[in-house]
């Protein structure tokens, strides 16, 4: 379970998070939506300790995320970065198996490679990309390699930052199914950021909308369409008219 | 106001530079401690050895060779003014080993290695690869800084040693080809004249300069700003700082070894 308690974060004069309160129950899939630049990525990075909140606390299973053994804490997480963040000095399979090649989860090289290729297959990539370098792949392929890396060590908690951005509709469908599967079969807790409403409906148990630095609305995905919240309604319909300004 | 403005700017720069040295010192210390705490990333270390050491050999060799040659010509010409042409082998040896070898190699490493480390790490930072490392339970200081720092500490003294020898050889070639020295006498004079302290100081300087070069590259890379501009600024800053620090450290080490 992940709990945001009144989390604040500013960059200089820019107030990005202004008191985020949100609970993600264990084994559920939470999707975060919200306009571009509202701080969705920042919120995920706060949980991982990559960005330190100015105020407020984030609890993971009731314990403060910033306290205690960092290695043990991070070993439970997988993260797909918005830009992929693949290591360009390593080949695709070495990226996917990064965690399996070193540290506490280390295994023999051949086995790590096998797992990497299996994960690549799950994100719709053939084994022949395994020995390429990230720079030799298309943007969408890089994204999927990033996804494979995030799930390679079968973490309990997985963050996906825009997993389907830049993918064709069929591949988006494959990735949506995969994320759903990971939550249902592996019992993982997932937080996904997406702008794609099809993905939201395919992936989410619950939805939270971030707007103006706070969670504007949160609830089960089924209640999303009849929320009565003008912000959420405008966001779902993609209308330029409404309380959310088009120029931000 | 107008008259004091340059002074004020100089003061600000000096203060900023001192603050930078403080932060870098802490950073360097952390980098050093990570060398001795497991895990140790062997592959990264070997790649760093290759990049810093082996691939720097051509540029180090050429720089040292030409400098040694020019040094021989200058000393011959200068020495002739008081009929001391014969000291060429000794002065070339001392000049190369004590000063020019370490300083030139240090500056070449700052140009070649510091810049590439800074640009690489800054790009990793900008593209969130450093964040990704952290989330994959890998400490960026341990994975990126420690192997490069250790490699530089080991291999730059070796480069300096090689640079010293090639520089002396450059002087030797000019000496026998152009200045009419007897090869055997030249070598004997060089070898007999050099003392253990000369060589030791050369290698110690190499180690310190290597440490400075690697640390500055890593420090500026890790603290890079955002975007391509951030990478550019980090690279420029790292080379500038490394060069200035290397020359300052050279002065201090020379005073330490030879001024007493
Ligand atoms: N390291 C940083 N330094 C300064 N500002 C930052 C930093 N990271 C994020 N920001 C700012 O915080 C704001 C929120 O960024 P964030 O990346 O979380 O947006 P987002 O909601 O993920 O948007 P998108 O949907 O476009 O990815 C942006 O205005 C961004 O400029
Ligand atoms: Mg984002």
């Amino acid at each position: 379970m992940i709990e945001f308690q009144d989390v604040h974060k500013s960059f200089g004069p820019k107030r990005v998070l202004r008191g985020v309160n949100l609970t993600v129950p264990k084994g559920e899939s939470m999707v975060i939506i919200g306009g571009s630049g509202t701080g969705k990525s920042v919120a995920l990075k706060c949980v991982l300790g990559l960005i330190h909140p100015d105020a407020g606390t984030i609890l993971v299973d009731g314990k403060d995320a910033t306290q205690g053994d960092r290695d043990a804490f991070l070993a439970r997480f997988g993260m797909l970065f918005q830009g992929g963040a693949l290591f360009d000095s390593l080949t695709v399979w070495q990226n996917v198996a990064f965690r399996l090649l070193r540290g506490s989860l280390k295994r023999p090289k051949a086995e790590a490679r096998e797992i990497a290729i299996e994960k690549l297959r799950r994100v719709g990539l053939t084994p022949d990309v395994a020995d390429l370098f990230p720079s030799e792949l298309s943007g969408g392929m890089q994204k999927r390699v990033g996804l494979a890396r995030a799930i390679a060590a079968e973490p309990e908690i997985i963050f996906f930052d825009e997993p389907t951005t830049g993918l064709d509709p069929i591949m988006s469908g494959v990735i949506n199914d995969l994320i759903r599967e990971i939550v249902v079969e592996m019992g993982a807790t997932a937080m996904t950021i997406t702008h794609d409403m099809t993905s939201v409906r395919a992936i989410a148990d619950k939805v939270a909308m971030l707007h103006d630095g706070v969670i504007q609305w949160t609830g089960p995905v089924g209640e999303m369409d009849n929320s009565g919240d003008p912000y959420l309604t405008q966001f779902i319909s993609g209308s330029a008219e409404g309380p959310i300004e088009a120029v931000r | 106001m107008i008259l004091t403005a340059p002074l004020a700017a100089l003061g600000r720069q000096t203060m900023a530079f001192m603050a930078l040295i403080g932060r870098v010192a802490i950073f360097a210390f952390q980098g050093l401690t990570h060398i001795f705490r497991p895990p140790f990333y062997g592959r990264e270390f070997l790649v760093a050895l290759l990049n810093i050491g082996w691939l720097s050999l051509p540029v180090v060799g050429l720089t040292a060779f030409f400098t040694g040659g020019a040094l021989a010509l200058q000393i011959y010409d200068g020495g002739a003014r008081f009929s001391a042409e014969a000291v060429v082998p000794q002065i070339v040896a001392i000049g190369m080993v004590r000063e020019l070898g370490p300083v030139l190699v240090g500056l070449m490493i700052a140009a070649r290695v510091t810049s590439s480390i800074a640009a690489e790490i800054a790009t990793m930072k900008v593209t969130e690869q450093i964040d990704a490392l952290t989330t994959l339970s890998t400490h960026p200081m341990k994975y990126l800084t420690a192997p490069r720092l250790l490699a530089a500490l080991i291999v730059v003294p070796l480069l300096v040693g090689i640079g010293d020898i090639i520089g002396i050889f450059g002087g030797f070639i000019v000496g026998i080809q152009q200045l009419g020295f007897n090869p055997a006498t030249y070598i004997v004079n060089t070898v007999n004249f050099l003392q253990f302290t000369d060589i030791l100081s050369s290698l110690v300087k190499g180690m310190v300069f290597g440490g400075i070069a690697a640390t500055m590259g890593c420090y500026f890379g890790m603290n890079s700003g955002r975007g391509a501009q951030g990478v550019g600024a980090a690279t420029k800053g790292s080379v500038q700082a490394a060069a200035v620090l290397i020359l300052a450290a050279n002065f201090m080490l020379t005073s330490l070894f030879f001024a007493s």
Side-chain angles (χ1 to χ4, degrees), chain A residues 45 48 50 70-71 74-75 81-83 85-90 98-99 102 149, chain B residues 39 41 43-44 120 123-124 127-138 143:
Chain A
K45 287 183 187 172
L48 293 167
L50 300 173
R70 288 285 294 160
D71 281 352
L74 287 168
F81 286 85
Q82 192 168 351
L86 300 177
F87 304 123
D88 35 34
S89 59
L90 301 178
F98 193 88
R99 230 186 203 167
R102 38 181 81 66
R149 184 175 70 184
Chain B
Y41 296 109
R43 183 181 175 276
E44 310 307 311
E120 183 184 1
T123 306
M124 290 184 74
T127 54
E128 296 181 318
Q129 291 178 51
I130 306 254
D131 283 348
L133 270 184
T134 309
T135 60
L136 292 166
S137 308
T138 303
Y143 185 76

Side-chain angles (χ1 to χ4, degrees), chain B residues 153-190:
Chain B
L153 288 174
I154 292 174
V155 90
V156 176
L158 291 179
L159 283 174
V160 168
I162 293 168
D164 291 348
I165 293 169
I166 295 179
I168 290 174
F169 180 70
F172 171 77
I173 293 289
V174 170
I176 60 169
Q177 293 289 334
Q178 226 173 312
L179 308 175
F181 279 87
N182 174 294
T185 335
Y186 194 107
I187 293 174
V188 168
N189 279 343
T190 301

Side-chain angles (χ1 to χ4, degrees), chain B:
Chain B
M1 268 313 276
I2 291 171
L3 285 177
T4 55
L7 277 181
L10 186 68
R12 263 198 308 279
Q13 296 249 327
T14 314
M15 296 281 280
F17 191 67
M18 289 300 163
L20 173 72
I21 289 179
R23 286 195 302 274
V24 167
I26 295 170
F27 182 87
F29 179 75
Q30 285 174 346
L32 282 174
T33 60
H34 277 289
I35 292 177
F36 299 105
R37 279 182 290 157
F40 179 74
Y41 296 109
R43 183 181 175 276
E44 310 307 311
F45 173 66
L46 291 179
V47 171
L49 269 189
L50 186 75
N51 278 330
I52 302 174
W54 182 246
L55 298 178
S56 296
L57 274 177
V59 72
V60 162
L62 287 171
T63 317
F65 184 82
F66 289 125
T67 308
L71 194 59
L73 289 177
Q74 290 282 18
I75 293 163
Y76 188 82
D77 182 66
R81 293 182 196 168
F82 37 94
S83 327
E85 299 95 330
V87 297
V88 168
Q90 290 89 335
I91 306 292
V92 166
I94 243 194
M96 277 317 293
V97 172
R98 283 187 178 189
E99 288 295 323
L100 288 173
V103 168
L104 287 175
V105 170
L107 292 180
M108 279 330 217
I109 293 295
R112 216 190 146 267
V113 173
T114 307
S115 60
S116 88
I117 293 179
E120 183 184 1
I121 295 185
T123 306
M124 290 184 74
K125 161 114 185 194
V126 167
T127 54
E128 296 181 318
Q129 291 178 51
I130 306 254
D131 283 348
L133 270 184
T134 309
T135 60
L136 292 166
S137 308
T138 303
H139 202 303
M141 283 297 274
K142 207 178 274 306
Y143 185 76
L144 296 173
T145 305
R148 286 170 173 78
L149 184 56
L150 181 62
L153 288 174
I154 292 174
V155 90
V156 176
L158 291 179
L159 283 174
V160 168
I162 293 168
D164 291 348
I165 293 169
I166 295 179
I168 290 174
F169 180 70
F172 171 77
I173 293 289
V174 170
I176 60 169
Q177 293 289 334
Q178 226 173 312
L179 308 175
F181 279 87
N182 174 294
T185 335
Y186 194 107
I187 293 174
V188 168
N189 279 343
T190 301
V191 172
N192 286 348
F193 188 71
L194 279 180
Q195 290 176 347
F196 176 70
T197 332
D198 300 329
I199 294 162
L200 180 71
S201 79
S202 198
L203 302 183
V204 168
K205 280 181 175 182
M207 191 177 229
V208 172
F209 299 169
I212 291 174
T215 306
M216 298 320 274
C218 294
Y219 175 84
F220 277 85
M222 296 258 192
N223 291 290
S224 150
R226 285 151 62 93
Q229 229 170 15
V231 177
T235 310
K236 180 189 72 184
S238 70
V239 177
Q240 251 173 19
V244 172
L245 280 180
I246 283 173
L247 293 173
N250 179 59
F251 173 69
M252 285 190 267
L253 287 169
T254 296
S255 346
L256 203 70
F257 272 102
F258 302 109
S260 49

